[in-house]
């Protein structure tokens, strides 16, 4: 029996205290059984998965396993004796489903019977060594799980099975294990621990994978131990397996993918439309020379009947393919299905009512909106009891799910029900709301468009100094510009090319908006001018536009409210289509696909990225199925409608830059130029480049080496940026420490074929349409690698959390942030009758301009689901239950990361109690918690998961 390993917790403490030096590594020195789980600190217990689900089982064998000596005179053995035989035992932890339907229960019994007649689960150990004569990896004999049938009736989520091997004492360290599932159905294998009389001590295999039946996928599954190896350091016995596993994961690029497959490949977004349903469901293919876009996961479905370039769709409730291990696990699937059920219920009722009475298409008063939270849809809309008796499904809903007909009160109403009406709250949400990443500094006045003046007319804005001079606290416009007091939300160029098509849609009306905000002495912002523009009637002519300023009377107050609603609608579209979907969900998918295709599970960089890739392919596939597809939720609920993803693609083509997606770079770079073309050379200049007078930089931060994070914010009380920089710093320190463990110099980065293959494929295949852009970072040094990985972890965790989990709490009250508008501002010259209607009843006109009941309730139901943390959420910096790596130095570095994230959370809590920070503390002001790392399950308006999982 091997000597007992050192206490892991003591090892962690020692390494953490030593503060690891660059290049020092503890790989291959960590014993892994049994593990001692440390309880999380009280302030983070609520967010821990193990607190919610119970402690995860880590299988280990505690009893002594004997060495069995076999006398002989084998060649090379001491004193002419053959190597002695050693008994080695493997303990497999299998996770069962919480609930089984009848079919699954019968399959389980069948597998137990199948096991009894020898059709069992078979395993084989593979050594890190090779045979000295054959030069092939050393294999153990095949062993079968011996207690599967006996443990069929064992209760509990986790079941530990065992198998025994007899190997030579010089077998070496097991580096891989193969599993052949000869039962009828798949099972979820969490981990394997191998221990016995081998000198290496226990070896841990973190599997976390579905093992398919050999009837479904012939062949054996391979799992590698949790020790990280760079490709050049791969033990001889594992090299061939390492290459073969990656080849299998890549597939051959052909065929229709089965749900049980584990193949990662690329395709364009050619499945958003459904031309077979009619021309109104045709959508352009995103990805390619015509409309550049990131690639998505290939499914291989056949083309539609009417367009050979469009892929046929899989509609709900049928599942859309993602590699098997990327699919939601049971807890996540249950939570998501529950949310989808709520969406169905909330959509079903208003749909029926909309067919019964035309009067219910619009909200009749603000109290009717409030009744969605108080009385529920049934009471609010006056649905008669006899209708429930006539419609069995609705009757069942009434009997079993009455509570699901009522919406939770959004958090935005919790402290001040009327805050949304105030200008300061409208402005506060630009730095502490759902979309805090669009505000930029205004450095030239009036604002200037980049669009072609031959088509869209003169580029200058219609806002003049006369409009805003009285709002600047005694400053001239130039003084306000020079002193960084003016900021802007500029959606003019985003919407202008699409407005004619949007406004031709029944029930959709939009402007291209600009909003100028002034930074007050109190550190808060106030809107001082809103410009609403429409396309010119003829190419090159001036654009029709209105400029509104803070109101001075009742009429101008209602017009100002309508103008703010149109700005919010523009903002909601950009938030969802660009900042949320494109800049987190879509751009991450190629990095994830390439990681699985090009980096082994043994690769240290894959181990770093793995938690940040969880569920992303599945949630993106579900989005293609029902959210971003033709006539899906996004098109139904947001102003751009059918042109939504052309707007998203235009931003990707013209503005997205991976090198500037990290938080500090994004805060410094937010800029525009006077060039009249969509993309100009100034977009490709590095930050250090001297800027000519033709370039106008719009920054909300400036580089400042004296500041803790290397930048100085121009809006000091900027909750998203303030808190984001804390998490960015923690992520950067963690990633840099981790990279130093494996890459001491540039040579090790450049010679890593898997690493270079991953990055090259991401750029040249996953982002193929912009692969030649000069701004792609190089991957030549440890610093380059740390920068790229820090940005990826940031996008998958904190950036996505800031843009996602406030959608219902802060946007679920539709008047505060309407996702679409149905009317332009009333204009006596354009429509005298409509203007008279507005003057007679501005309250009703405002409500009729907002989404109707059907759009509003569908939108609310969906963003409620999207804002929900599932019970199995894994949060940034959370202590990891399983032994994810065999490198003690990496474990110690992650412990320091955990401590950094914990300190960041404490700092955020302190800031939210600081009354000097008026954008997050004050009478009726909501605290900013979207970047507070931990959260319980549910809609909490806080919490930073590791990955884009919803």
């Amino acid at each position: 029996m091997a000597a007992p390993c050192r206490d892991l917790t003591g090892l962690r403490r020692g390494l953490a205290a030593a503060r690891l030096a660059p290049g020092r590594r503890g790989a291959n020195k960590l014993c892994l059984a049994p593990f001692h789980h440390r309880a999380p600190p009280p302030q983070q217990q609520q967010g821990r998965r193990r607190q919610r689900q119970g402690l995860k089982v880590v299988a280990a064998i505690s009893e002594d396993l004997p060495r069995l000596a076999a006398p002989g005179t084998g060649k090379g053995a001491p004193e002419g004796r053959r190597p002695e035989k050693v008994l080695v035992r493997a303990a497999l932890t299998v996770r069962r489903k919480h609930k089984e339907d009848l079919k699954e229960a019968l399959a389980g019994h069948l597998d137990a019977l199948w096991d009894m007649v020898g059709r069992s689960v078979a395993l084989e150990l593979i050594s890190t060594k090779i045979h000295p004569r054959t030069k092939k990896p050393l294999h153990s004999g095949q062993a079968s799980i011996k207690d599967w049938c006996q443990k069929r009736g064992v209760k509990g989520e986790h079941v530990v099975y065992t198998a025994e091997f007899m190997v030579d004492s010089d077998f070496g360290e097991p580096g891989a294990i193969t599993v052949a599932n000869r039962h009828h159905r798949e099972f979820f294998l969490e981990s394997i621990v191998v221990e016995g009389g081998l000198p290496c001590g226990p070896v841990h295999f973190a599997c976390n994978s579905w093992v398919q039946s050999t009837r479904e996928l012939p062949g054996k599954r391979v799992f590698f131990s949790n020790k990280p190896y760079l490709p050049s350091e791969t033990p001889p016995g594992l090299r061939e397996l390492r290459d073969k596993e990656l080849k299998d994961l890549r597939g051959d690029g052909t065929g229709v993918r089965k749900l049980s497959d584990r193949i990662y490949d690329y395709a364009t977004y050619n499945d958003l439309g459904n031309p077979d349903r009619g021309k109104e469901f045709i959508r352009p293919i995103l990805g390619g020379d015509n409309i550049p876009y990131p690639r998505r996961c290939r499914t291989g479905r056949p083309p539609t009947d009417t367009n050979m370039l469009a892929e046929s769709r899989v509609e709900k409730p049928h599942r859309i393919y993602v590699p098997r291990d990327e699919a939601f696990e049971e807890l996540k699937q249950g939570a998501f299905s529950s949310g989808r059920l709520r969406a169905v219920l909330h959509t079903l009722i208003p749909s029926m009512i909309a067919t019964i009475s035309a009067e219910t298409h619009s909200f009749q008063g603000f109290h009717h909106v409030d009744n969605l939270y108080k009385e529920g849809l049934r009471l609010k809309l006056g649905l008669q009891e006899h209708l429930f008796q006539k419609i069995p499904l609705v009757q069942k809903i009434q009997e079993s799910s009455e509570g699901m007909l009522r919406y939770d009160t959004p958090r935005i109403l919790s402290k001040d029900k009327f805050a949304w009406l105030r200008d300061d709250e409208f402005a506060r949400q630009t730095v502490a709301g759902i979309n805090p990443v669009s505000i930029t500094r205004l450095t030239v006045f009036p604002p200037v468009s980049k669009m072609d003046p031959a088509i869209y007319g003169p580029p200058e804005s219609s806002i003049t100094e006369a409009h805003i001079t009285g709002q600047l606290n005694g400053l001239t416009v130039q003084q306000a510009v020079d002193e960084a007091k003016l900021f802007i939300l500029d959606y003019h160029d985003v919407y202008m090319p699409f407005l004619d098509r949007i406004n031709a849609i029944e029930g959709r009306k939009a402007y291209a908006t600009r909003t100028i905000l002034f930074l007050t002495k109190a550190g808060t912002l106030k809107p001082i001018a809103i410009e609403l523009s429409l396309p010119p009637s003829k190419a090159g002519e001036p654009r029709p536009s209105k400029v509104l300023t803070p109101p001075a009377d009742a009429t101008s107050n209602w017009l100002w409210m309508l103008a703010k609603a149109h700005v919010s609608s523009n903002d909601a579209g950009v938030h969802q289509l660009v900042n949320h979907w494109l800049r987190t969900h879509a751009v991450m998918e190629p990095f994830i696909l390439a990681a699985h295709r090009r980096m082994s599970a043994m690769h240290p960089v894959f181990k770093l990225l793995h938690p940040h890739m969880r569920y992303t392919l599945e949630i993106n596939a579900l989005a293609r199925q029902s959210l971003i597809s033709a006539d899906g939720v996004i098109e139904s609920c947001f102003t751009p409608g059918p042109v939504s993803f052309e707007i998203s693609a235009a931003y990707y083509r013209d503005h997205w830059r991976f090198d500037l997606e990290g938080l500090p770079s994004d805060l410094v770079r937010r800029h525009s130029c006077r060039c009249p073309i969509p993309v100009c050379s100034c977009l490709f200049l590095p930050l250090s480049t001297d800027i000519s007078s033709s370039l106008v930089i719009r920054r909300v931060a400036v580089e400042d080496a004296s500041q803790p994070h290397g930048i100085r914010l121009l809006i000091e009380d900027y909750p998203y940026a303030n808190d984001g920089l804390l998490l960015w710093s923690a992520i950067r320190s963690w990633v840099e420490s981790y990279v130093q463990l494996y890459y001491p110099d540039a040579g090790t980065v450049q010679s890593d074929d898997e690493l270079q293959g991953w990055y090259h494929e991401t750029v040249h295949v996953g982002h193929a349409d912009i692969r030649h852009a000069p701004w792609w970072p190089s991957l030549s040094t440890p610093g380059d690698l740390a920068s790229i990985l820090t940005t990826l972890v940031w996008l998958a965790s904190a950036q996505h959390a800031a843009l996602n989990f406030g959608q219902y709490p802060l946007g679920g009250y539709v008047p505060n942030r309407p996702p679409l508008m149905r009317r332009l501002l009333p204009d006596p010259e354009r429509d005298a009758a409509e203007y008279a209607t507005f003057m007679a009843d501005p309250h009703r006109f405002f409500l009729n301009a907002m989404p109707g009941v059907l759009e509003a309730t569908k939108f609310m139901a969906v963003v409620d689901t999207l804002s929900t943390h599932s019970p199995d959420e894994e949060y940034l910096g959370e202590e990891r239950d399983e032994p994810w790596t065999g490198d003690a130095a990496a474990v110690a570095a992650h412990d320091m990361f955990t401590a950094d994230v914990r300190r960041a959370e404490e700092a955020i809590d302190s800031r939210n109690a600081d009354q000097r920070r008026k954008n997050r503390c004050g009478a009726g002001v909501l605290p900013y918690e979207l970047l507070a790392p931990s959260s319980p399950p549910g809609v909490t308006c806080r919490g930073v998961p590791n990955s884009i999982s919803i």
Side-chain angles (χ1 to χ4, degrees), residues 114 295 345 378 465 509 606 726 830 848 874 878 891 919:
W114 208 243
R295 298 299 186 260
L345 295 178
R378 174 174 175 262
E465 290 193 12
K509 290 294 180 283
F606 185 90
L726 289 176
R830 185 188 72 242
N848 289 344
E874 295 178 352
E878 189 173 54
V891 173
N919 286 323

Side-chain angles (χ1 to χ4, degrees), residues 609-718:
L609 287 177
H610 190 255
H612 306 289
M613 304 189 292
R614 183 177 186 240
Y615 292 155
T616 302
L617 298 185
E618 171 83 339
I619 196 62
N620 285 4
L622 290 169
R624 297 202 316 274
Q625 189 175 47
S626 59
L627 294 180
I628 68 175
S629 56
D631 202 33
V633 172
I634 299 299
E635 290 192 3
S636 299
C637 297
F638 289 82
T639 295
V643 305
S644 291
F645 278 82
E646 293 178 63
I647 291 177
S648 181
Y651 184 93
Y652 178 74
R653 178 194 65 211
D654 297 342
H655 302 297
W656 184 78
R657 292 182 51 167
F658 178 74
D659 64 326
L660 300 181
E661 286 298 291
L663 179 60
S665 298
D666 179 53
L667 293 171
V668 171
R669 68 97 176 244
R670 297 185 196 168
H671 69 278
S672 64
C673 69
R674 293 178 180 172
C675 306
I677 56 178
V679 183
C680 65
S681 59
C682 71
L683 288 176
F684 307 123
L685 295 175
L687 291 176
S688 58
T689 303
D690 291 334
I691 307 299
S692 69
S693 60
S694 66
L695 178 63
V696 179
I697 299 296
R698 294 179 171 179
R699 298 174 173 177
V700 292
V702 294
E703 294 172 332
D704 187 342
S706 67
Q707 296 298 310
H709 306 287
I711 64 172
R712 176 172 57 84
L713 295 175
L714 299 180
I715 304 172
E716 292 184 11
D717 184 14
Y718 188 170

Side-chain angles (χ1 to χ4, degrees), residues 49 208 326 588 592 595-596 601 603-617 734 738 792-797 872-885 894 897 944-949:
R49 284 189 302 124
N208 293 310
E326 306 302 316
M588 281 294 297
I592 294 170
H596 285 279
H603 199 290
V605 171
F606 185 90
K607 289 182 178 293
L608 172 75
L609 287 177
H610 190 255
H612 306 289
M613 304 189 292
R614 183 177 186 240
Y615 292 155
T616 302
L617 298 185
W734 149 239
Y738 189 87
L792 292 177
V793 174
W794 163 260
L795 292 176
S797 58
D872 70 338
E873 202 83 270
E874 295 178 352
Y875 294 95
L876 187 70
E878 189 173 54
E879 293 178 6
R880 299 175 68 170
D881 296 336
E882 76 282 358
W884 58 279
T885 180
H894 190 271
F897 175 52
V944 179
N946 278 324
S947 62
I948 301 167
S949 58

Side-chain angles (χ1 to χ4, degrees), residues 61 116 229 254 353 403 482 527 670 673 757 865:
I61 309 301
M116 292 176 65
Y229 295 106
T254 64
I353 299 306
D482 294 342
R670 297 185 196 168
C673 69
T865 298

